């Protein structure tokens, strides 16, 4: 049985989303909460959480970060009336963003996408790289960044580091379609793993830090925001 939480301090939105979920599948177990604090205090293992961003007290971004600290698998769907909030939520790795007022088709689409994704989550995108030690195959999501150093490219992953002889520009071009971007002339970073950005520093979810070029500060942050907004844009289109 699927388990979904709905957290919104607007009772009307809360009830609307709950009803739409049950119309999609009456067998779903839906729990409703009026605040982020209430959700966290009663948190269970959910398949998905529909979470309002602009809540009184603990807002949705803070709530989402707390959820991520205990549950890295749950799919978080943000509900927001303001597009600008999307940029502030990148550390949560939300599955989707829906603009209020939501409608039944949007809820149905995202529910089907969530559970279709869950059924096929083992089908990861695997790419091959010709390293100095031979050809290796890596899941895209396992790669944190590529760095050009000492005439080689360092590949940093969740388990090991590898080296290959290549131009960073060529690597960046190949990885662009997989959510990678160049915040610095020597780096191509997986935006999936960006946790925070402060000044000229990019902090990743593995605790590592990479530089953000001063010349690229504005354009790269715009690129990050655009990447985060891509699913929302496609939903509106």
């Amino acid at each position: 049985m699927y388990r979904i939480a709905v957290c919104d301090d607007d009772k009307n939105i809360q009830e609307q989303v709950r009803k739409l979920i049950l119309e999609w599948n009456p067998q779903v177990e839906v729990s409703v909460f009026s605040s982020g604090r209430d959700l966290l205090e009663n948190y269970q293992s959910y398949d998905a959480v529909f979470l309002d961003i602009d809540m009184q007290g603990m807002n949705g971004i803070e709530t989402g970060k707390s959820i991520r600290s205990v549950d890295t698998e749950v799919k978080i769907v943000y509900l927001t009336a303001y597009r600008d909030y999307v940029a502030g939520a990148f550390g949560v790795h939300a599955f989707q963003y829906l603009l209020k007022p939501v409608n039944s088709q949007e809820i149905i689409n995202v529910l089907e996408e969530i559970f279709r994704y869950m059924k096929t989550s083992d089908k990861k995108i695997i790419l091959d790289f010709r390293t100095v030690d031979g050809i290796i195959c890596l899941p895209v999501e396992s790669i944190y960044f590529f760095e050009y150093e000492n005439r080689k490219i360092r590949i940093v992953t969740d388990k090991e580091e590898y080296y290959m002889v290549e131009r960073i520009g060529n690597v960046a071009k190949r990885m662009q379609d997989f959510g990678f971007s160049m915040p610095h002339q020597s780096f191509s970073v997986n935006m999936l793993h960006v946790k925070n950005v402060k000044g000229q520093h990019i902090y990743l979810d593995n605790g590592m830090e990479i530089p953000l070029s001063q010349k690229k500060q504005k354009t790269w942050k715009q690129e990050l925001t655009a990447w985060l907004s891509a699913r929302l844009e496609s939903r509106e289109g």
Side-chain angles (χ1 to χ4, degrees), residues 23-83:
E23 286 177 10
W24 173 71
N25 186 341
Q27 302 302 314
V28 173
E29 181 182 322
V30 183
S31 301
V32 295
F33 302 93
S34 298
S35 70
R37 186 73 61 191
D38 188 23
L39 170 59
L40 292 171
E41 289 176 353
N42 297 278
Y43 192 80
Q44 303 176 43
S45 179
Y46 294 105
D47 296 299
V49 175
F50 284 78
L51 184 58
D52 179 29
I53 287 184
D54 189 26
M55 293 187 292
Q56 296 295 319
M58 178 180 279
N59 65 35
I61 295 173
E62 296 170 326
T63 304
K65 289 179 179 178
S66 295
I67 290 173
R68 274 285 169 257
S69 69
V70 297
D71 190 342
T72 59
E73 298 298 323
V74 63
K75 306 299 181 288
I76 295 176
V77 178
Y78 272 127
L79 307 174
T80 177
Y82 307 100
R83 180 186 301 278

Side-chain angles (χ1 to χ4, degrees), residues 140-155:
V140 169
E141 64 184 37
S142 74
I143 304 171
Y144 284 90
F145 61 87
F146 299 85
E147 178 188 7
Y148 181 75
E149 63 172 19
N150 299 323
R151 299 184 180 180
K152 291 186 177 68
I153 298 291
R154 179 168 70 118
I155 310 172

